[in-house]
């Protein structure tokens, strides 16, 4: 490399990215006045500056929220201009890339064109309406509005002699205007449309029949425009050829125009007479034109082929065709010295050609964008879909490819792991099926096909046996993944279903449609049970906090709503940037949102406040995912990189995957920026943007190798030991795992608050002992405000702050796991009756004097001793309900008690439906308790089956009619029973699974 470079030690990894080029079609091109650089604008929403000699991207202009459709370099070389479908034009410093000015150009629809005045002080724009405007770039004010077209303006050009501007329009005319007065001077056209003349050739010209003064009217003279065509029925006819392109000759004497369905024509810019029509078989569809600066040639595109064509403007004959693009070459530009031609194509590349020989000199781009990604359930692998190259599974420790997926194509919309990690589902935009593949081999197992109807969305059921998709124009379908057959049709939407989600227990599904509704459905009956209505529905999810709907706005802001209560929870706003992607943490308490400025912001859903910001990507965030344990966040971007972040600190961590234009990839160690695996070609594209001598440039990174990974036999943190197992490792489930085997994780907000489910910390059987030891050591060792789905608590202090410190977890399965069939009642009871034992009054032992301070461990021992004294004899009845059910209910009761203790009004409303009058009634019951609600707690799980004073601490009985259980549970304070009882119903098929009934004191 001849350019200066930096070693990895001197670079913040967040400043490093790939410089590979555009990842979408090219709509605009311009050369710098000295011919050393090229400016390109793309449908990807960015403009890029390239070194014309090396073909390398130098820097990018970001800030537009939609496609950049036109670009222009000021004649004095100091400024750049871009126009976007976001209905703005922007002016930038050409040396530094600094954004200087935004012009609200207005208009509607798509399109956009730009032209600088020859003195670089003014800018001519149009955008999708029938007007063009001249702007003063020093003040940002519009100084002229040109408004005589009857249909939208499609192209603009400024005459080299500075006195006139020209506009082309869908009304089939080109008009010439005086820049001083804004007066129309002449117009040419329209031509009869192709429908009137199938050969594409008009029957005559539109020049005035009578001879005219060759010098035309005095420029700037007042009065009506000098109409250079015959006013006849042709102008009023609906069938005219829309005019799509326009360019001045360097001497300002002629104009060339392009039409939608016939070859371009050269006109006299003074008389309006047609001078020549370009003629060549097979190139009759031209949309854009460019005149060479030396005036000897004209360049056009060709809508029928992926070619550009060079013409003689005097004779109208074709001189050569430039072949090399894969698709339409939709943007064209001549170098200032007329020796080179640049063409931009929808194949995402810019090609530079020798204008004399037609030989390709350089290819700029294409880039590669990360389209979608999904974390494996065990957290060791990630599957990534990109715009270039195959969809692959990657090992997140080694950076090696684990498997390439079969039968996948570009334009991926969804790639998703099954809950057990054995299969992958891949869905492409506008596809008619979802491919289900073996995650170990990448081979296709089956397709969930809709037969000629597009599949619009996908989600696995929690147990992986079923899948939910949007199909066709208004349908959602539940599939049996094992057979590939339709299991259930959900009919009720009136437009395309765009997003789908399952409830965590599989009893309900949530769908969103373009009809403006989100609906909750019963997966047994297929009936809609709840409807949420709103404009701009974007996506639905079902978090551990409940069903969520995300809506959008024209400004690119997202709004998160509770689908049950209809209340807004969080506003996802990115300081003017547009929302692109979002994801909830496993505990449902935080939402990460990616924006088109390359930033990820994390909100606390309960507080509605931003708590973390991840910055480092150059371009828009296409995917954001939480790791299954909630400790890391994965982000994929249009800059071609996939990065990992620490969810507590926001620091970049682990590996960074870099996807290259040729389909290869490289894995870098984020800390050292050394190559861990993959292609050495990454060093040709890796760099960062810096200012050197007042000029924005790209500084490469010096190649290096990543340090070796720690030996699996050496000392390592638990997370390192798990990663070292490799991509094929499936973690051993703990003995107390639920039947579904799902690894559900709870992580609190940044700052160390959180909890994980079983299998990530201590063994299930020692859970309560660990908690008791922690409490005995110090009452402050357990955070009283820790939150999680099971109200699990994390040890504080130095150990909790250390990376990889294990969480203290509950052995109970999460309350959102798939519920097993409830066992039949005891033989002595009749089915369908609620055999709730009578409530025993508190005994002296139950009302043991609370102990405070550091005597927590002693308090627990005293309570155990008291319990042994009063425990019922050997013939105590067995508790009702199988162990799995009892674990689940205990976890749900524990969580509810934690919500009461911290008085979380949002959780009470959204998760339990308690607000308004029911909340007031609950407050009254809490006031009657013998202890403050903030000090309530629950007995450990292993004590739930204790039979004390004629009751089990956790008493369950079958709900009348079946389908659930009646819950009656002790409430504790400082390790002792308070004598109060919590009564609730456990209804796994209900919208509110934990249905609180009352507190008895």
């Amino acid at each position: 490399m001849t350019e200066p470079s930096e070693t990895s030690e001197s670079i913040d990894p967040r400043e490093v990215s790939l410089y590979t080029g555009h990842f979408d079609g090219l709509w605009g091109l311009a050369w710098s006045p000295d011919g050393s650089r090229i400016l390109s604008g793309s449908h990807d929403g960015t403009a890029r500056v390239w070194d014309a000699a090396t073909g390398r991207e130098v820097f990018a202009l970001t800030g537009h929220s939609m496609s950049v459709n036109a670009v222009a370099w000021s004649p004095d070389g100091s400024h750049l201009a871009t126009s976007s479908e976001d209905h703005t034009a922007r002016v930038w410093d050409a040396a530094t890339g600094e954004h200087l000015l935004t012009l609200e150009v207005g208009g509607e629809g798509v399109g956009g064109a730009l032209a600088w005045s020859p003195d670089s002080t003014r800018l001519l724009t149009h955008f999708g309406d029938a007007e063009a405007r001249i702007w003063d770039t020093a003040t940002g004010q519009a100084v002229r509005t040109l408004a005589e077209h009857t249909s939208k303006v499609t192209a603009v050009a400024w005459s080299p002699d500075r006195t006139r501007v020209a506009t082309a329009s869908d009304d089939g005319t080109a008009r010439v205007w005086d820049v001083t007065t804004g007066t129309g001077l002449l117009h040419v056209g329209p031509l009869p449309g192709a429908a009137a003349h199938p050969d594409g050739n008009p029957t005559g010209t539109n020049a005035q029949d009578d001879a005219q003064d060759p010098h035309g009217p005095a420029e700037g003279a007042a009065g009506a425009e000098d109409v250079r065509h015959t006013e006849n029925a042709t102008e009023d006819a609906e069938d005219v050829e829309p005019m799509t392109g326009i360019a001045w000759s360097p001497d300002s004497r002629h104009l060339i125009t392009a039409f939608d369905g016939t070859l371009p024509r050269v006109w006299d810019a003074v008389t309006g007479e047609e001078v020549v029509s370009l003629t060549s078989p097979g190139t009759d569809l031209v949309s854009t034109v460019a005149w060479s600066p030396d005036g000897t040639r004209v360049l056009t595109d060709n809508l029928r082929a992926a070619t550009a064509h060079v013409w003689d403007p005097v004779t109208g004959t074709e001189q050569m065709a430039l072949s090399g693009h894969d698709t339409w070459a939709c943007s064209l530009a001549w170098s200032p010295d007329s020796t080179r031609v640049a063409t931009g194509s929808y194949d995402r590349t810019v090609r530079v050609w020798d204008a004399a020989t037609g030989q390709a000199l350089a290819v700029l781009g294409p880039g590669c964008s990360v389209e979608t990604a999904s974390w494996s359930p065990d957290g060791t692998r990630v599957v990534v879909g990109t715009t270039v190259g195959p969809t692959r599974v990657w090992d997140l420790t080694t950076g090696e490819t684990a498997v390439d997926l079969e039968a996948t194509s570009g334009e991926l919309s969804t790639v998703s792991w099954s809950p057990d990690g054995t299969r992958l589902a891949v869905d492409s935009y506008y596809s008619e099926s979802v491919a289900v593949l073996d995650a170990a081999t990448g081979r296709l197992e089956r397709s969930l096909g809709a037969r000629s109807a597009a599949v619009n969305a996908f989600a696995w059921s929690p147990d992986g046996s079923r899948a939910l998709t949007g199909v066709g124009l208004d349908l959602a379908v539940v599939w049996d993944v094992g057979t590939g057959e339709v299991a259930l049709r959900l009919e009720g939407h009136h437009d395309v279903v765009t997003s789908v989600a399952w409830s965590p227990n599989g009893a309900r599904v949530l769908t969103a449609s373009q009809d403006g509704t989100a609906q909750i459905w019963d997966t047994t009956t297929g009936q809609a049970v709840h409807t949420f209505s709103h404009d701009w529905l974007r996506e639905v999810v079902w978090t551990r906090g409940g069903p969520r709907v995300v809506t959008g706005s024209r400004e690119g802001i997202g709004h998160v709503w509770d689908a049950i209560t209809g209340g807004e929870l969080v506003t996802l706003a990115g300081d003017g940037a547009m929302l692109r992607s979002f994801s909830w943490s496993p505990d449902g308490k935080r939402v990460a949102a990616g924006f088109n400025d390359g930033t990820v912001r994390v909100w606390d859903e309960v507080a509605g406040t931003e708590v973390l910001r991840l910055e480092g990507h150059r371009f828009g965030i296409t995917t954001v995912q939480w790791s299954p344990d909630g400790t890391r966040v994965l982000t994929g971007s249009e800059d071609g990189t996939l990065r990992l972040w620490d969810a507590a600190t926001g620091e970049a961590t682990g590996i960074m995957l870099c996807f290259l234009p040729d389909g290869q990839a490289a894995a870098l160690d984020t800390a050292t920026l050394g190559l861990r695996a993959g292609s050495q070609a990454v060093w040709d594209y890796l760099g960062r943007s810096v200012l050197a001598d007042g000029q924005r440039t790209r500084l490469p990174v010096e190649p290096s190798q990543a340090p070796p990974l720690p030996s699996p036999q050496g000392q390592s943190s638990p997370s390192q030991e798990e990663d070292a197992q490799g991509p094929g490792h499936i973690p051993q489930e703990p003995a107390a795992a639920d039947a579904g085997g799902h690894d559900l994780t709870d992580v609190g907000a940044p700052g160390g608050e959180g909890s994980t489910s079983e299998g990530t910390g201590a063994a299930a059987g020692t859970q309560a002992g660990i908690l008791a030891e922690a409490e005995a050591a110090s009452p402050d060792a357990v955070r009283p405000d820790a939150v999680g789905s099971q109200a699990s608590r994390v040890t504080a202090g130095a150990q909790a702050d250390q990376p990889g410190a294990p969480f203290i977890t509950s052995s109970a399965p999460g309350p959102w796991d798939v519920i097993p069939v409830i066992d039949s009642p005891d033989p002595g009871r009749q089915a369908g009756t609620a055999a709730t034992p009578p409530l025993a009054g508190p005994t002296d032992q139950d009302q043991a004097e609370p102990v405070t301070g550091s005597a927590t461990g002693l308090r627990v021992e005293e309570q155990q001793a008291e319990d042994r004294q009063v425990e019922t004899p050997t013939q105590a009845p067995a508790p009702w309900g199988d162990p799995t059910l009892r674990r689940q209910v205990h976890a749900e009761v524990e969580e509810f008690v934690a919500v009461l203790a911290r008085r979380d009004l949002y959780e009470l409303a959204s998760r339990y439906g308690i607000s308004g009058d029911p909340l007031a009634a609950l407050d009254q019951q809490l006031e009657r308790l013998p202890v403050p609600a903030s000090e309530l707690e629950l007995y450990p799980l292993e004590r739930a089956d204790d039979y004390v004073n004629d009751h089990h601490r956790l008493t369950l009985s079958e709900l009348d009619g079946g389908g659930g259980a009646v819950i009656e549970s002790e409430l504790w304070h400082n390790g002792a029973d308070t004598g109060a009882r919590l009564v609730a119903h456990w209804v796994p098929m209900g919208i509110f699974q934990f249905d609180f009934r009352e507190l008895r004191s």
Side-chain angles (χ1 to χ4, degrees):
M1 297 182 181
T2 59
E3 301 174 70
S5 63
E6 295 178 313
T7 61
S8 59
E9 288 78 9
S10 62
I11 303 177
D12 184 336
R14 293 172 297 182
E15 298 178 359
V16 173
S17 191
L18 296 177
Y19 289 73
T20 57
H22 292 290
F23 50 88
D24 213 331
L26 277 293
W27 288 119
L29 287 176
W31 288 79
S32 63
D34 63 4
S36 65
R37 290 187 171 186
I38 295 173
L39 173 64
S40 60
S42 168
H43 194 66
D44 65 15
T46 70
R48 316 281 178 108
V49 175
W50 305 80
D51 186 305
T54 65
R56 291 187 175 184
E57 180 191 341
V58 181
F59 64 89
L61 307 177
T62 61
H64 285 296
S65 61
M66 300 183 73
S67 172
V68 175
N69 288 351
V71 298
W73 208 304
S74 66
D76 66 4
S78 63
H79 294 94
L80 309 172
T82 57
S83 177
S84 167
E85 286 183 11
D86 63 13
H87 295 194
T88 67
R90 295 189 176 215
V91 178
W92 317 74
D93 187 295
T96 65
E98 179 186 359
H99 172 229
L100 303 176
L101 179 68
T102 297
L103 306 176
E104 300 291 339
V105 298
E108 58 186 22
V110 298
L114 294 167
W116 283 98
S117 63
D119 64 1
S120 301
T121 63
R122 296 191 175 185
L123 196 63
L124 174 63
T125 71
H126 90 80
F127 201 94
D129 57 9
E131 298 178 343
R133 294 174 178 83
I134 298 176
W135 303 80
D136 185 320
T137 55
T139 65
Q141 298 299 310
V143 296
R144 295 284 183 275
T145 298
L146 312 177
E148 291 183 7
H149 285 291
T150 59
S151 188
K152 73 174 183 178
V153 174
T154 57
V156 297
W158 208 301
S159 68
D161 67 5
R162 307 183 183 184
T163 63
R164 292 162 292 170
V165 295
T167 58
S169 169
D170 271 350
D171 64 14
T173 68
R175 295 179 181 263
V176 178
W177 315 76
D178 183 281
V179 297
T180 304
T181 65
T183 303
L185 301 177
L186 100 130
H187 78 252
V188 297
L191 300 181
H197 299 277
D199 60 0
N201 295 313
T203 57
T205 70
N206 293 89
Q208 183 180 4
D209 292 336
D210 299 328
Q212 302 292 328
D213 179 357
H215 299 290
E219 293 177 2
E225 75 174 81
D226 184 13
V227 179
R228 300 296 181 177
H229 79 295
T230 301
E231 298 288 353
N232 54 33
T234 304
E235 181 177 7
D236 297 328
E238 294 183 359
D239 186 22
V240 298
E241 286 291 350
M243 198 174 286
T244 58
I246 196 166
W248 288 90
S249 64
D251 60 9
S252 302
R253 296 175 58 187
H254 296 94
L255 286 166
I256 185 169
T257 59
F259 298 87
D260 200 29
T262 188
L263 280 169
R265 281 162 168 72
V266 177
W267 310 85
D268 187 300
V270 176
T271 68
E273 294 179 353
E274 181 181 326
V275 177
V276 69
S277 174
L278 306 187
T279 57
S280 178
T283 53
D284 57 322
L285 294 180
V286 172
S287 68
T288 186
V289 291
W291 213 308
S292 66
D294 63 8
T296 62
R297 286 156 295 177
V298 167
L299 182 65
T300 72
D301 66 337
N302 181 3
L303 288 171
R304 292 191 184 275
T307 54
H309 299 262
V310 179
W311 309 77
D312 184 322
V314 176
T315 65
T317 57
E318 182 180 341
Q319 293 184 338
M320 71 175 70
L322 307 176
S323 300
H325 285 296
D326 296 331
T327 58
W328 175 34
C330 45
S331 53
L332 314 167
W334 286 90
S335 66
D337 60 5
S338 300
T339 62
R340 291 167 293 170
V341 167
T343 58
S345 167
Y346 220 74
D347 66 8
R348 310 185 307 279
T349 67
V350 176
R351 292 179 181 260
V352 181
W353 313 81
D354 186 301
T357 65
Q359 296 297 309
L361 302 176
V363 179
L364 317 182
C368 181
S369 169
V370 174
E371 293 291 277
T372 183
S374 180
W375 218 311
S376 67
D378 63 6
T380 65
R381 294 161 291 167
V382 63
V383 58
V384 185
T386 57
T387 55
V388 180
T391 301
R392 291 171 171 163
V393 176
W394 301 84
D395 185 301
L396 287 176
T397 300
T398 65
E400 298 283 355
T401 302
V403 66
D404 286 3
L405 302 189
E406 183 182 279
T408 60
S409 59
E411 301 294 324
L412 294 180
S413 61
T414 305
V415 55
S416 174
W417 293 84
S418 63
D420 63 3
T422 62
R423 290 166 294 173
L424 285 161
V426 179
D427 176 30
S428 300
Y429 290 108
Y430 313 117
S431 66
E432 296 179 358
S433 65
V434 174
V436 179
L437 305 106
D438 185 299
T441 65
R443 294 178 180 173
L444 179 67
E445 287 189 349
R446 65 180 47 84
S447 294
L448 305 180
R451 293 193 185 94
S452 75
V455 176
N456 309 307
F458 178 89
W460 290 97
S461 66
D463 64 0
S465 67
R466 294 172 293 169
L468 175 64
T469 67
V471 174
L473 298 179
D474 57 7
L475 188 65
V477 171
V478 176
W479 303 83
D480 185 309
V481 178
T483 65
E485 298 298 322
V486 174
L488 193 65
R489 294 165 60 91
L490 307 178
E491 299 176 331
H493 284 297
H494 304 293
D495 207 334
V496 175
V497 174
T498 56
S499 181
V500 297
W502 288 81
S503 68
N505 70 347
R508 300 282 191 267
V509 293
L510 179 61
T511 60
S513 167
Q514 290 180 358
D515 64 11
T517 67
Q519 297 198 54
I520 298 176
W521 309 78
D522 186 297
T523 58
T524 301
T525 66
Q527 297 299 308
V529 297
H530 188 77
T531 299
F532 172 92
S533 299
H534 204 282
D535 296 331
W536 291 77
L537 291 184
R538 286 197 53 168
E539 194 163 333
V540 293
V541 296
W542 203 311
T543 75
R544 297 185 68 159
R548 302 289 184 255
V549 177
V550 182
T551 63
S553 68
R554 292 184 184 276
E555 294 76 25
I557 297 173
H559 302 272
V560 180
W561 307 83
D562 186 306
I564 301 296
T565 67
E568 183 174 358
L569 306 176
V570 184
T571 298
L572 308 178
D575 299 332
M578 180 171 287
L579 177 67
R580 296 289 303 275
S581 54
F582 35 82
S583 175
W584 268 258
S585 60
D587 64 1
K589 298 183 183 299
R590 288 179 291 168
V591 55
F595 292 83
N596 72 335
D597 63 356
T599 301
V600 175
R601 295 167 172 83
V602 180
W603 278 267
D604 182 301
E605 190 190 77
V606 175
T609 57
E610 183 179 332
V611 295
L612 192 65
R613 188 170 296 191
L614 312 177
E615 297 176 313
H617 286 290
R618 290 179 73 205
F619 307 128
I621 305 298
T622 56
T623 183
V624 55
Q625 298 271 321
W626 292 81
S627 64
D629 64 3
T631 62
R632 293 176 292 173
V633 175
L634 174 153
T635 58
S637 167
E638 292 166 339
D639 64 11
T641 67
L642 186 137
R643 302 176 187 236
L644 302 178
W645 311 82
D646 186 296
T649 66
E651 293 297 320
T653 185
I655 64 170
M656 177 171 70
L657 292 176
C658 301
F659 298 92
L660 308 182
D662 60 359
Q664 297 188 78
L668 302 181
D669 178 70
T670 298
T672 65
L673 291 180
L675 181 65
R676 184 159 301 288
S679 174
Q680 292 282 345
V682 67
W683 305 114
D684 294 332
Y685 302 100
L686 200 67
R688 69 181 184 124
S689 185
V690 298
L691 276 176
D693 299 326
Q695 188 86 2
R696 178 68 60 184
T697 189
R698 163 186 155 198
L699 200 60
V701 176
E702 182 178 325
S704 64
Q705 202 68 26
L709 291 170
S711 169
Q713 287 76 27
Q715 297 296 322
S716 60
S717 68
S719 61
Q720 290 173 326
E721 292 174 355
E722 179 181 352
D723 288 344
Q725 300 296 329
H729 173 67
I730 304 298
Q732 181 67 38
E733 292 290 345
D738 66 291
H742 303 301
D743 179 19
L744 298 178
T745 307
D746 291 62
V747 179
E753 186 174 313
S755 64
T756 62
S757 65
E758 58 187 352
T760 58
T766 62
Q767 168 61 31
I770 296 177
L771 285 172
E773 291 174 7
E775 292 178 346
S778 168
D780 297 328
V782 179
R783 298 173 60 102
D785 59 342
V787 295
S789 68
Q790 303 169 20
S792 301
R793 291 168 288 185
V794 181
T795 55
Q799 180 182 3
D801 293 335
Q802 294 175 356
F807 289 109
I808 296 178
T809 62
S810 168
S811 62
W816 302 94
D817 287 347
V818 178
I819 305 301
V821 177
I822 297 176
D823 288 344
S824 300
D826 293 336
R829 292 175 42 219
Q830 293 182 352
T833 61
T836 305
L839 180 64
T843 65
D844 294 338
Q845 288 81 1
D846 290 328
Q847 297 292 335
E849 187 70 25
V851 182
T852 59
S854 60
T856 308
L858 178 60
R859 180 173 64 242
V860 173
E861 292 177 1
E862 290 174 347
Q863 175 65 32
Q864 292 172 344
E866 292 171 359
D867 289 343
R868 283 193 295 271
Q869 294 174 9
V870 298
E871 277 176 5
T872 305
T874 41
Q875 298 302 319
W880 185 85
D882 64 51
T884 299
L885 174 63
R886 294 184 63 80
R887 284 196 301 270
Q888 288 176 314
V889 172
H890 179 275
E892 189 68 15
V893 174
E894 188 177 36
E895 173 63 9
F896 183 76
V897 171
V899 170
L900 293 180
R902 63 178 184 266
R903 190 169 171 73
D904 191 329
L905 298 181
Y906 162 71
E907 289 275 334
L908 287 171
S910 64
R911 181 178 285 189
Y912 304 108
I914 302 174
S915 61
D917 291 342
L919 178 62
L922 173 62
D923 286 338
Q924 293 177 0
Q925 296 174 40
L926 290 171
E927 290 175 0
R928 293 196 293 267
L929 293 181
V931 297
S934 60
E935 298 178 12
L936 288 174
E937 60 188 34
L938 199 64
Y939 42 85
L941 174 63
E942 71 274 10
R943 311 225 27 215
D945 295 349
D946 290 353
Y947 193 74
V948 181
N949 299 321
D950 299 324
H951 70 271
H952 293 100
R953 300 195 189 279
L954 176 62
T955 300
L956 299 184
S957 59
E958 187 175 21
L959 190 65
D960 285 343
V966 176
I967 305 167
E968 186 168 332
S969 172
E970 291 182 358
L971 293 175
W972 280 24
H973 173 255
N974 286 334
D977 181 17
T978 64
R981 300 293 181 264
L982 181 149
V983 180
H985 291 173
W986 174 244
V987 189
M989 299 297 285
I991 292 179
F992 298 111
Q993 300 181 14
F994 184 87
D995 183 9
F996 168 75
R997 312 303 289 183
E998 63 175 322
L999 294 175
R1000 297 175 182 169
S1001 56

